[in-house]
Amino acid sequence: MKIYLDNAATTQVYPEVVEAMTPYYTEYYGNPSSIYSFAGEANKAVSHAREVLANMIHAKAEEIYFTGGGSESDNWALKATAEAYADKGKHIITSKIEHHAILHTCEYLEKKGYEVTYLDVDEYGTVKLDELEKAIRPDTILISIMTANNEIGTIQPVAEIGKIAGKHGVLFHTDAVQAFGHIEIDVDKMNIDMLSASAHKINGPKGSGLMYIRKGVRIRSFIHGGAQERARRAGTHNVPGIVGFGKAAELAKATLKERIAYETVLRDYLINRVLEEIPFSRLNGERVNRLPNNVNFCFQYIEGESMLILLDQRGIYASSGSACTSGSLEPSHVLLAIGLPHEIAHGSLRLTLSEKTTKEELDYTVDELKKIVERLRSMSPLYEDSLKEKRS
Ligand SMILES: *Cc1c(COP(=O)(O)O)cnc(C)c1O
């Protein structure tokens, strides 16, 4: 039995994607920057992927820059904007629930003399628009708010954020790594100036990402070297990785509507069963306005890590918070930001579905989860105490 419910951490590379990539390792291995005709195939494939990926977000092909993944794009967006616009100001606005690729880059910039405002979110993980607007100052150069959260799935009011940024003449970057290929994104309608996306979150290969940079945005090159990517991101193109990203996006686009519908039904089924059948459980994030494949619960009186180990023994692969925070004993910064106390934030479980997840798999998962929660609680002195308190 293998039930993979950690699709926010990474996804299966689809066989069609591998098939599309393979010839660019073994046959058309030429460097796309070379002049001879043999390199032409590789060059064409990169251009095709660029078109497809631009189409996904209603951008122009020349506004897409290939990178080595979501983290690189996030680093690039923040560091290069900070540098290019330092003459205008040194203030950046972000939120407390961003991915560490954003938060740790912001901390780095603070050490370099930039000032960062970390916006609070409401109890569902949504940025408050009035507070965002109030935080804008004459020296604000960038707003970076994620499209959808990787832990609790909350979708941000991106179009409204874009509108506010535009009104004040501030650049708007969004980390769309969890949202790209999972929900509709339109960089024009949403007034997005820069956007990060990553192939391995949409059934593409790892280590392949992109940054959308709107034409006219002043941004410095991030990797210095050759003239690839309009001299803004040097390095020989990862041709198979780019081809795989393009193919994954093509598939994601073709199935988007039905996938959203299918996953939403499964997601809500899972939420309802858990909340009804497991006492002292809580859903984290917005009930409706959340990624179709994301579920995140807290189970009071339980350690998230012990739950994961017991689930693993039953062939169920899940996560507590994000893959990046596991291994540290700190509770998730996202759960703390939505106001959960430390002891509850420790007992969180994230289950992220795919279009291949079945109802049977979820039934098995909930059945096992019920037993696991019961067993762990029976060993928890806190749980015993709380029961005694209720009785007295
Ligand atoms: C996964 C993820 C990233 C990092 O992307 P990589 O391609 O793994 O570097 C950044 N932001 C969010 C929201 C993510 O979910």
Side-chain angles (χ1 to χ4, degrees):
M1 181 83 73
K2 174 174 151 254
I3 300 180
Y4 185 73
L5 294 175
D6 203 13
N7 286 282
T10 196
T11 56
Q12 181 203 17
V13 183
Y14 279 159
E16 300 95 306
V17 172
V18 177
E19 203 180 307
M21 292 169 69
T22 306
Y24 294 92
Y25 284 114
T26 53
E27 277 175 65
Y28 311 119
Y29 52 81
N31 188 323
S33 305
S34 300
I35 300 295
Y36 40 75
S37 56
F38 174 56
E41 283 303 323
N43 204 348
K44 255 193 277 176
V46 170
S47 302
H48 176 68
R50 206 187 297 279
E51 290 280 347
V52 169
L53 289 159
N55 256 323
M56 287 282 284
I57 51 172
H58 306 271
K60 297 181 199 71
E62 63 267 27
E63 295 172 316
I64 301 294
Y65 295 81
F66 290 116
T67 67
S71 300
E72 183 187 321
S73 301
D74 284 347
N75 271 261
W76 186 9
L78 267 56
K79 290 177 190 167
T81 317
E83 200 186 309
Y85 288 85
D87 57 344
K88 186 193 166 205
K90 291 191 153 190
H91 179 235
I92 294 167
I93 300 173
T94 187
S95 82
K96 286 188 178 163
I97 60 160
E98 299 296 311
H99 189 274
H100 282 135
I102 295 290
L103 291 178
H104 289 167
T105 306
C106 284
E107 284 164 24
Y108 166 84
L109 288 171
E110 283 179 301
K111 288 198 195 95
K112 296 275 170 193
Y114 289 82
E115 215 185 309
V116 182
T117 300
Y118 300 90
L119 294 174
D120 284 317
V121 292
D122 68 15
E123 59 182 306
Y124 300 110
T126 310
V127 165
K128 300 170 201 162
L129 295 171
D130 53 332
E131 289 191 10
L132 167 69
E133 190 153 23
K134 263 188 260 157
I136 298 174
R137 320 189 306 210
D139 62 339
T140 305
I141 50 174
L142 178 69
I143 294 170
S144 180
I145 306 278
M146 67 202 320
T147 312
N149 184 266
N150 48 306
E151 292 188 33
I152 58 173
T154 303
I155 299 170
Q156 298 298 334
V158 177
E160 285 83 353
I161 296 170
K163 200 186 257 178
I164 292 171
K167 186 173 127 195
H168 293 270
V170 177
L171 290 178
F172 174 36
H173 165 260
T174 189
D175 173 345
V177 175
Q178 286 294 331
F180 186 88
H182 291 277
I183 56 173
E184 290 280 0
I185 300 175
D186 185 322
V187 291
D188 282 335
K189 281 195 192 136
M190 296 172 159
N191 205 26
I192 295 166
D193 296 306
M194 286 172 279
L195 173 148
S196 310
S198 180
H200 78 101
K201 303 284 173 79
I202 61 161
N203 308 97
K206 294 163 181 65
S208 173
L210 68 80
M211 175 125 97
Y212 156 77
I213 308 177
R214 183 179 292 283
K215 218 172 164 203
V217 171
R218 231 196 291 160
I219 191 164
R220 300 288 160 85
S221 51
F222 191 54
I223 307 283
H224 302 275
Q228 293 91 351
E229 300 301 278
R230 287 160 291 267
R232 279 169 157 184
R233 200 281 188 183
T236 301
H237 287 103
N238 171 8
V239 179
I242 291 168
V243 168
F245 195 2
K247 184 69 188 176
E250 232 166 52
L251 297 172
K253 188 171 177 158
T255 60
L256 185 63
K257 282 205 178 69
E258 49 200 280
R259 188 156 35 92
I260 290 177
Y262 177 77
E263 289 177 351
T264 304
V265 169
L266 276 189
R267 176 197 73 188
D268 293 343
Y269 174 73
L270 177 60
I271 292 175
N272 289 335
R273 265 205 74 182
V274 167
L275 293 184
E276 277 165 24
E277 297 178 34
I278 304 184
F280 305 107
S281 58
R282 169 191 201 282
L283 177 73
N284 297 315
E286 247 280 325
R287 182 84 193 216
V288 177
N289 195 26
R290 71 187 301 141
L291 288 172
N293 71 337
N294 172 291
V295 168
N296 187 309
F297 298 109
C298 275
F299 299 101
Q300 240 175 303
Y301 315 111
I302 286 186
E303 280 285 336
E305 302 286 310
S306 15
M307 217 169 1
L308 293 185
I309 294 166
L310 294 174
L311 283 167
D312 185 11
Q313 285 171 2
R314 289 155 178 79
I316 301 164
Y317 307 124
S319 135
S320 68
S322 78
C324 319
T325 23
S326 63
S328 80
L329 284 172
E330 278 295 296
S332 141
H333 64 286
V334 177
L335 296 181
L336 295 180
I338 60 172
L340 296 188
H342 272 71
E343 65 274 16
I344 294 180
H346 264 303
S348 72
L349 177 71
R350 181 185 73 182
L351 303 168
T352 41
L353 325 179
S354 80
E355 62 190 322
K356 301 208 168 153
T357 305
T358 63
K359 182 165 170 289
E360 289 68 35
E361 288 179 327
L362 295 183
D363 280 329
Y364 173 77
T365 302
V366 177
D367 293 343
E368 292 305 313
L369 192 58
K370 276 164 75 173
K371 289 184 237 166
I372 289 170
V373 168
E374 216 166 288
R375 180 170 148 202
L376 289 173
R377 279 184 181 156
S378 73
M379 302 188 300
S380 156
L382 282 173
Y383 187 58
E384 290 300 307
D385 290 350
S386 83
L387 287 184
K388 268 182 221 141
E389 263 171 46
K390 286 215 173 63
R391 272 187 229 119
S392 60

